[in-house]
Amino acid sequence: MGQADGIFAKGTITFPFTDWDEWPVEMFGWSSERLDMLSAELAKGESSAFMIVRDGRLIYRWGDIAFKSSVASVRKSLVNVLYGMLIAEGRIDPQQTLADFNIDDMTPLTASERKATVMDLLRARSGVYLPSVYDTANGRPDRGSHPPGTHWFYNNWDFNVLGTIVERATGENVLEALASRLVKPLRMQDCAPGDGWFQNGPESMHPVYKIQMSARDLARVGLLYLRHGRWGAKQLVPQSWVRESTRPHSEVGAGRAYGLLWWVAEADAEDDPIAVHVPMFYASGWGGQYLIVLPELDLVIVHRSATALRAGPGVSHVRMGEFLRLALSAMPERG
């Protein structure tokens, strides 16, 4: 079904302003037989939705792309978009420190920890190794073992505090800010009040912010970054911020890296099971939540697994790599 009246198009630059424009894969030279194989594989496990967006158009869908479920740690990449906007507006300076925002916790921060900057948190390099709500910190370093900015550690304390900083800088909590600055301008189809909430805990005074979203709304975020922060005629996020966010800041394995709240993988990265023959950046959440951007191929790929509705652990990183490579095998040969 076409939605020509809902599309902004200028050459090959296409955006969905209402529903996604859907095109038969054969029009792009893709193999419907290979995509049928992908559909069969997706149906075997705990996947709930899969999308392929090429040139800003939806060319493959599987499952219920309108169903909303938890995005898990994909939330962190959504917050990256918000920070790009707030920094550009001068609301937040990335070199401001925890002390500047009067950040503390149940266990008081040391003078050294209070020197951690916003940029340190965005890079997961705060050097603050305290418990967090929804703590995922297996192997947390000893407290004080690394000064701020010197050591990468995937730390929910950093990510939760970024939410607190948004509220102290703007007067809006992070969920309100995402609704007004991301959901509304991207004209997301399924997001509604109540799709984000805070969860407090005894571990920390900084709550975790939980978000549920549909696959087709998440794909809009991927397209925004594929288009270097542009949406239609508007530059919502500076190009420089997108570029800085999706380049390696911390090498975490052979070809795998962490940017600013985004994962980055080189072509054929040895230590990343979802790596393919071209570079990518992506957001990843527990259970199989993926938003993958492959700029060289002009592709956005979304995978969802509604883990709350199933008894299993969702879709593994290795399994996601199998889905991704099968999807790309359906692309036409370069010529």
Side-chain angles (χ1 to χ4, degrees):
M1 61 179 179
Q3 294 283 342
D5 59 341
I7 295 293
F8 174 95
K10 182 179 180 181
T12 60
I13 307 300
T14 303
F15 298 87
F17 273 1
T18 54
D19 200 355
W20 286 92
D21 195 35
E22 295 190 47
W23 291 59
V25 292
E26 293 84 0
M27 291 188 64
F28 291 84
W30 287 54
S31 166
S32 56
E33 291 80 10
R34 298 294 294 180
L35 292 176
D36 287 344
M37 293 173 60
L38 173 62
S39 298
E41 288 300 311
L42 290 166
K44 291 179 180 179
E46 297 184 27
S47 301
S48 59
F50 195 100
M51 293 176 62
I52 301 176
V53 174
R54 181 80 188 275
D55 298 324
R57 301 175 176 91
L58 176 58
I59 65 168
Y60 172 84
R61 62 149 83 190
W62 179 90
D64 187 350
I65 65 173
F67 178 75
K68 293 183 288 189
S69 59
S70 172
V71 300
S73 286
V74 172
R75 70 189 176 102
K76 297 154 190 175
S77 300
L78 303 181
V79 169
N80 166 277
V81 184
L82 180 58
Y83 266 81
M85 297 174 178
L86 294 175
I87 290 171
E89 293 170 11
R91 306 293 293 274
I92 296 175
D93 182 335
Q95 298 309 314
Q96 286 179 284
T97 66
L98 298 181
D100 291 331
F101 289 103
N102 197 27
I103 298 294
D104 216 328
D105 213 334
M106 303 295 194
T107 301
L109 270 62
T110 65
S112 175
E113 290 168 338
R114 287 166 62 82
K115 293 178 182 178
T117 65
V118 169
M119 183 58 74
D120 290 334
L121 271 64
L122 290 165
R123 289 192 252 188
R125 286 175 165 264
S126 74
V128 181
Y129 305 127
L130 294 176
S132 64
V133 183
Y134 255 59
D135 204 338
T136 58
N138 294 326
R140 183 192 296 117
D142 292 336
R143 192 173 182 199
S145 57
H146 302 285
T150 64
H151 180 73
W152 180 83
F153 180 68
Y154 191 79
N155 189 356
N156 264 357
W157 193 91
D158 294 15
F159 310 134
N160 294 349
V161 169
L162 285 169
T164 300
I165 289 173
V166 167
E167 186 163 6
R168 295 189 182 177
T170 68
E172 287 184 297
N173 69 48
V174 67
L175 299 175
E176 294 168 338
L178 283 168
S180 63
R181 296 170 183 270
L182 186 62
V183 173
K184 186 175 180 180
L186 295 192
R187 303 188 186 185
M188 291 187 178
Q189 295 170 259
D190 305 307
C191 287
D195 286 343
W197 64 97
F198 291 96
Q199 182 170 323
N200 292 284
E203 305 92 342
S204 171
M205 63 176 60
H206 305 287
V208 64
Y209 38 96
K210 304 284 285 180
I211 299 170
Q212 64 176 12
M213 189 176 286
S214 67
R216 64 183 180 179
D217 283 347
L218 199 55
R220 291 172 183 257
V221 180
L223 184 59
L224 174 68
Y225 268 40
L226 180 64
R227 297 292 178 247
H228 312 290
R230 175 183 166 190
W231 193 259
K234 295 182 178 179
Q235 191 74 38
L236 294 182
V237 187
Q239 274 192 3
S240 58
W241 180 255
V242 176
R243 184 169 56 250
E244 185 70 8
S245 298
T246 59
R247 73 168 181 86
H249 283 255
S250 303
E251 298 293 338
V252 298
R256 190 180 191 218
Y258 200 68
L260 305 182
L261 305 181
W262 287 91
W263 294 98
V264 183
E266 296 177 357
D268 300 315
E270 295 179 10
D271 275 6
D272 197 332
I274 72 168
V276 294
H277 64 286
V278 293
M280 70 171 77
F281 60 90
Y282 64 93
S284 170
W286 182 85
Q289 321 310 325
Y290 288 95
L291 170 58
I292 302 170
V293 181
L294 302 110
E296 287 190 14
L297 304 179
D298 202 15
L299 284 179
V300 174
I301 293 180
V302 176
H303 176 275
R304 304 305 313 281
S305 176
T307 53
L309 303 181
R310 295 167 169 81
V315 171
S316 71
H317 205 58
V318 171
R319 183 62 167 152
M320 183 61 210
E322 295 171 354
F323 292 153
L324 182 57
R325 285 183 284 276
L326 184 54
L328 297 187
S329 75
M331 291 188 70
E333 295 287 337
R334 294 181 178 182

Short mmCIF file of all heavy atoms in Angstrom, two decimals, residues 43-81:
data_model
loop_
_atom_site.label_atom_id
_atom_site.label_comp_id
_atom_site.label_asym_id
_atom_site.label_seq_id
_atom_site.Cartn_x
_atom_site.Cartn_y
_atom_site.Cartn_z
N ALA A 43 9.88 -17.10 12.70
CA ALA A 43 8.71 -17.77 13.27
C ALA A 43 9.08 -18.91 14.21
O ALA A 43 8.24 -19.39 14.98
CB ALA A 43 7.81 -18.30 12.15
N LYS A 44 10.34 -19.32 14.20
CA LYS A 44 10.75 -20.46 15.02
C LYS A 44 10.97 -20.11 16.49
O LYS A 44 10.99 -21.00 17.33
CB LYS A 44 12.05 -21.05 14.47
CG LYS A 44 11.92 -21.75 13.13
CD LYS A 44 13.27 -22.28 12.67
CE LYS A 44 13.18 -22.99 11.34
NZ LYS A 44 14.51 -23.49 10.89
N GLY A 45 11.20 -18.85 16.79
CA GLY A 45 11.62 -18.49 18.14
C GLY A 45 10.74 -17.45 18.80
O GLY A 45 9.52 -17.48 18.68
N GLU A 46 11.40 -16.49 19.47
CA GLU A 46 10.68 -15.52 20.28
C GLU A 46 10.64 -14.13 19.66
O GLU A 46 10.38 -13.15 20.34
CB GLU A 46 11.33 -15.46 21.66
CG GLU A 46 11.24 -16.77 22.40
CD GLU A 46 11.79 -16.70 23.81
OE1 GLU A 46 11.78 -15.61 24.39
OE2 GLU A 46 12.23 -17.72 24.32
N SER A 47 10.87 -14.04 18.37
CA SER A 47 10.75 -12.77 17.69
C SER A 47 9.28 -12.35 17.63
O SER A 47 8.39 -13.18 17.50
CB SER A 47 11.30 -12.86 16.26
OG SER A 47 12.67 -13.26 16.27
N SER A 48 9.05 -11.03 17.71
CA SER A 48 7.68 -10.53 17.57
C SER A 48 7.52 -9.59 16.38
O SER A 48 6.41 -9.43 15.88
CB SER A 48 7.25 -9.82 18.85
OG SER A 48 8.11 -8.74 19.16
N ALA A 49 8.61 -8.97 15.91
CA ALA A 49 8.52 -8.08 14.75
C ALA A 49 9.89 -7.90 14.14
O ALA A 49 10.92 -7.94 14.83
CB ALA A 49 7.93 -6.73 15.15
N PHE A 50 9.90 -7.65 12.84
CA PHE A 50 11.14 -7.40 12.10
C PHE A 50 10.80 -6.47 10.95
O PHE A 50 9.77 -6.64 10.28
CB PHE A 50 11.71 -8.72 11.56
CG PHE A 50 13.15 -8.66 11.10
CD1 PHE A 50 14.16 -9.13 11.93
CD2 PHE A 50 13.49 -8.16 9.85
CE1 PHE A 50 15.49 -9.10 11.51
CE2 PHE A 50 14.81 -8.12 9.43
CZ PHE A 50 15.82 -8.59 10.26
N MET A 51 11.65 -5.48 10.74
CA MET A 51 11.45 -4.51 9.66
C MET A 51 12.75 -4.28 8.91
O MET A 51 13.82 -4.25 9.52
CB MET A 51 10.97 -3.16 10.20
CG MET A 51 9.60 -3.15 10.82
SD MET A 51 9.22 -1.51 11.55
CE MET A 51 9.26 -0.44 10.08
N ILE A 52 12.63 -4.09 7.61
CA ILE A 52 13.74 -3.62 6.79
C ILE A 52 13.28 -2.35 6.09
O ILE A 52 12.27 -2.35 5.37
CB ILE A 52 14.18 -4.65 5.74
CG1 ILE A 52 14.63 -5.96 6.40
CG2 ILE A 52 15.32 -4.08 4.88
CD1 ILE A 52 14.98 -7.06 5.41
N VAL A 53 14.01 -1.26 6.31
CA VAL A 53 13.73 0.02 5.66
C VAL A 53 14.88 0.35 4.72
O VAL A 53 16.03 0.40 5.15
CB VAL A 53 13.54 1.14 6.71
CG1 VAL A 53 13.38 2.50 6.03
CG2 VAL A 53 12.34 0.84 7.61
N ARG A 54 14.57 0.55 3.47
CA ARG A 54 15.57 0.89 2.45
C ARG A 54 15.15 2.18 1.76
O ARG A 54 13.99 2.30 1.34
CB ARG A 54 15.70 -0.24 1.41
CG ARG A 54 16.77 0.05 0.32
CD ARG A 54 18.13 -0.25 0.84
NE ARG A 54 19.21 0.16 -0.04
CZ ARG A 54 19.70 -0.57 -1.04
NH1 ARG A 54 19.18 -1.74 -1.34
NH2 ARG A 54 20.72 -0.13 -1.75
N ASP A 55 16.06 3.13 1.65
CA ASP A 55 15.75 4.42 1.03
C ASP A 55 14.56 5.09 1.71
O ASP A 55 13.80 5.81 1.06
CB ASP A 55 15.46 4.25 -0.47
CG ASP A 55 16.65 3.69 -1.23
OD1 ASP A 55 17.78 4.06 -0.87
OD2 ASP A 55 16.45 2.91 -2.16
N GLY A 56 14.39 4.85 3.00
CA GLY A 56 13.29 5.47 3.73
C GLY A 56 11.95 4.81 3.52
O GLY A 56 10.93 5.30 4.02
N ARG A 57 11.92 3.68 2.82
CA ARG A 57 10.67 2.97 2.54
C ARG A 57 10.70 1.60 3.20
O ARG A 57 11.73 0.95 3.25
CB ARG A 57 10.45 2.82 1.04
CG ARG A 57 10.39 4.13 0.28
CD ARG A 57 10.30 3.89 -1.22
NE ARG A 57 10.14 5.14 -1.96
CZ ARG A 57 11.15 5.86 -2.42
NH1 ARG A 57 12.40 5.47 -2.21
NH2 ARG A 57 10.92 6.98 -3.09
N LEU A 58 9.55 1.16 3.66
CA LEU A 58 9.42 -0.16 4.28
C LEU A 58 9.31 -1.20 3.17
O LEU A 58 8.32 -1.22 2.43
CB LEU A 58 8.19 -0.19 5.18
CG LEU A 58 7.85 -1.52 5.85
CD1 LEU A 58 9.00 -2.02 6.70
CD2 LEU A 58 6.58 -1.36 6.70
N ILE A 59 10.32 -2.08 3.08
CA ILE A 59 10.28 -3.07 2.01
C ILE A 59 10.08 -4.49 2.54
O ILE A 59 9.85 -5.41 1.76
CB ILE A 59 11.54 -3.01 1.13
CG1 ILE A 59 12.79 -3.38 1.92
CG2 ILE A 59 11.69 -1.64 0.50
CD1 ILE A 59 14.00 -3.61 1.03
N TYR A 60 10.17 -4.67 3.86
CA TYR A 60 9.90 -5.99 4.44
C TYR A 60 9.42 -5.81 5.86
O TYR A 60 9.96 -5.00 6.62
CB TYR A 60 11.17 -6.86 4.45
CG TYR A 60 11.02 -8.16 5.21
CD1 TYR A 60 10.46 -9.29 4.60
CD2 TYR A 60 11.42 -8.26 6.55
CE1 TYR A 60 10.32 -10.49 5.30
CE2 TYR A 60 11.29 -9.46 7.24
CZ TYR A 60 10.73 -10.57 6.62
OH TYR A 60 10.59 -11.74 7.31
N ARG A 61 8.36 -6.53 6.17
CA ARG A 61 7.87 -6.55 7.56
C ARG A 61 7.46 -7.97 7.91
O ARG A 61 6.97 -8.73 7.09
CB ARG A 61 6.68 -5.62 7.73
CG ARG A 61 5.47 -6.02 6.88
CD ARG A 61 4.17 -5.65 7.53
NE ARG A 61 3.77 -4.29 7.33
CZ ARG A 61 2.75 -3.74 7.98
NH1 ARG A 61 2.09 -4.45 8.88
NH2 ARG A 61 2.39 -2.50 7.73
N TRP A 62 7.69 -8.29 9.16
CA TRP A 62 7.25 -9.59 9.69
C TRP A 62 6.72 -9.35 11.10
O TRP A 62 7.31 -8.57 11.86
CB TRP A 62 8.41 -10.58 9.73
CG TRP A 62 8.02 -11.93 10.28
CD1 TRP A 62 7.54 -13.00 9.60
CD2 TRP A 62 8.04 -12.32 11.66
NE1 TRP A 62 7.27 -14.04 10.45
CE2 TRP A 62 7.56 -13.64 11.73
CE3 TRP A 62 8.42 -11.67 12.83
CZ2 TRP A 62 7.45 -14.34 12.94
CZ3 TRP A 62 8.30 -12.35 14.04
CH2 TRP A 62 7.83 -13.68 14.09
N GLY A 63 5.63 -9.99 11.46
CA GLY A 63 5.07 -9.83 12.80
C GLY A 63 4.26 -8.55 12.92
O GLY A 63 3.87 -7.92 11.93
N ASP A 64 4.00 -8.16 14.15
CA ASP A 64 3.17 -7.00 14.45
C ASP A 64 4.07 -5.80 14.71
O ASP A 64 4.56 -5.61 15.83
CB ASP A 64 2.29 -7.28 15.67
CG ASP A 64 1.27 -6.19 15.93
OD1 ASP A 64 1.38 -5.12 15.30
OD2 ASP A 64 0.38 -6.39 16.78
N ILE A 65 4.28 -4.98 13.70
CA ILE A 65 5.21 -3.86 13.84
C ILE A 65 4.59 -2.69 14.61
O ILE A 65 5.30 -1.73 14.95
CB ILE A 65 5.73 -3.38 12.48
CG1 ILE A 65 4.61 -2.80 11.62
CG2 ILE A 65 6.47 -4.50 11.75
CD1 ILE A 65 5.11 -2.14 10.33
N ALA A 66 3.29 -2.77 14.93
CA ALA A 66 2.63 -1.72 15.71
C ALA A 66 2.55 -2.07 17.19
O ALA A 66 2.19 -1.22 18.01
CB ALA A 66 1.23 -1.46 15.18
N PHE A 67 2.90 -3.31 17.55
CA PHE A 67 2.80 -3.74 18.95
C PHE A 67 3.88 -3.08 19.79
O PHE A 67 5.05 -3.06 19.41
CB PHE A 67 2.94 -5.26 19.05
CG PHE A 67 2.88 -5.78 20.46
CD1 PHE A 67 1.68 -5.84 21.14
CD2 PHE A 67 4.04 -6.18 21.11
CE1 PHE A 67 1.62 -6.31 22.44
CE2 PHE A 67 3.99 -6.64 22.41
CZ PHE A 67 2.77 -6.70 23.08
N LYS A 68 3.49 -2.54 20.94
CA LYS A 68 4.44 -1.85 21.81
C LYS A 68 4.92 -2.78 22.92
O LYS A 68 4.10 -3.43 23.58
CB LYS A 68 3.78 -0.61 22.42
CG LYS A 68 3.46 0.47 21.41
CD LYS A 68 2.90 1.71 22.05
CE LYS A 68 1.50 1.52 22.56
NZ LYS A 68 0.89 2.80 22.99
N SER A 69 6.23 -2.82 23.11
CA SER A 69 6.81 -3.59 24.20
C SER A 69 8.09 -2.88 24.65
O SER A 69 8.55 -1.93 24.02
CB SER A 69 7.12 -5.03 23.76
OG SER A 69 8.03 -5.05 22.67
N SER A 70 8.65 -3.35 25.75
CA SER A 70 9.82 -2.70 26.33
C SER A 70 10.98 -2.68 25.34
O SER A 70 11.30 -3.70 24.72
CB SER A 70 10.25 -3.42 27.61
OG SER A 70 11.49 -2.91 28.07
N VAL A 71 11.64 -1.53 25.23
CA VAL A 71 12.83 -1.44 24.38
C VAL A 71 14.09 -1.77 25.16
O VAL A 71 15.18 -1.83 24.60
CB VAL A 71 12.97 -0.04 23.74
CG1 VAL A 71 11.76 0.28 22.88
CG2 VAL A 71 13.21 1.04 24.78
N ALA A 72 13.96 -1.98 26.48
CA ALA A 72 15.10 -2.31 27.34
C ALA A 72 16.22 -1.27 27.14
O ALA A 72 15.95 -0.07 27.14
CB ALA A 72 15.57 -3.74 27.08
N SER A 73 17.44 -1.71 26.94
CA SER A 73 18.57 -0.78 26.89
C SER A 73 18.64 0.05 25.61
O SER A 73 19.50 0.93 25.50
CB SER A 73 19.88 -1.53 27.09
OG SER A 73 20.03 -1.90 28.45
N VAL A 74 17.76 -0.20 24.67
CA VAL A 74 17.67 0.69 23.51
C VAL A 74 17.33 2.11 23.97
O VAL A 74 17.63 3.09 23.29
CB VAL A 74 16.63 0.16 22.51
CG1 VAL A 74 16.36 1.15 21.38
CG2 VAL A 74 17.12 -1.17 21.91
N ARG A 75 16.73 2.22 25.16
CA ARG A 75 16.40 3.54 25.72
C ARG A 75 17.63 4.46 25.75
O ARG A 75 17.50 5.68 25.63
CB ARG A 75 15.84 3.38 27.14
CG ARG A 75 16.88 2.95 28.17
CD ARG A 75 16.26 2.59 29.52
NE ARG A 75 17.28 2.10 30.45
CZ ARG A 75 17.82 2.81 31.43
NH1 ARG A 75 17.44 4.05 31.63
NH2 ARG A 75 18.74 2.29 32.23
N LYS A 76 18.79 3.88 25.93
CA LYS A 76 20.00 4.69 26.06
C LYS A 76 20.31 5.43 24.76
O LYS A 76 20.71 6.61 24.79
CB LYS A 76 21.17 3.80 26.50
CG LYS A 76 20.93 3.20 27.89
CD LYS A 76 21.65 1.91 28.13
CE LYS A 76 21.15 1.25 29.43
NZ LYS A 76 21.73 -0.08 29.65
N SER A 77 20.10 4.79 23.64
CA SER A 77 20.32 5.46 22.37
C SER A 77 19.26 6.52 22.11
O SER A 77 19.54 7.54 21.44
CB SER A 77 20.36 4.43 21.24
OG SER A 77 21.41 3.49 21.46
N LEU A 78 18.05 6.33 22.61
CA LEU A 78 17.03 7.37 22.50
C LEU A 78 17.45 8.60 23.29
O LEU A 78 17.26 9.74 22.84
CB LEU A 78 15.69 6.85 23.02
CG LEU A 78 15.11 5.60 22.37
CD1 LEU A 78 13.76 5.24 22.99
CD2 LEU A 78 14.96 5.77 20.87
N VAL A 79 18.05 8.38 24.45
CA VAL A 79 18.52 9.51 25.26
C VAL A 79 19.68 10.22 24.59
O VAL A 79 19.85 11.43 24.72
CB VAL A 79 18.87 9.02 26.68
CG1 VAL A 79 19.61 10.08 27.48
CG2 VAL A 79 17.58 8.63 27.41
N ASN A 80 20.48 9.49 23.82
CA ASN A 80 21.54 10.14 23.05
C ASN A 80 20.96 11.19 22.11
O ASN A 80 21.51 12.29 21.97
CB ASN A 80 22.32 9.11 22.23
CG ASN A 80 23.20 9.75 21.17
OD1 ASN A 80 22.72 10.07 20.08
ND2 ASN A 80 24.46 9.93 21.47
N VAL A 81 19.84 10.85 21.45
CA VAL A 81 19.20 11.81 20.55
C VAL A 81 18.80 13.06 21.32
O VAL A 81 19.03 14.19 20.88
CB VAL A 81 17.97 11.18 19.87
CG1 VAL A 81 17.37 12.16 18.87
CG2 VAL A 81 18.33 9.88 19.17
#
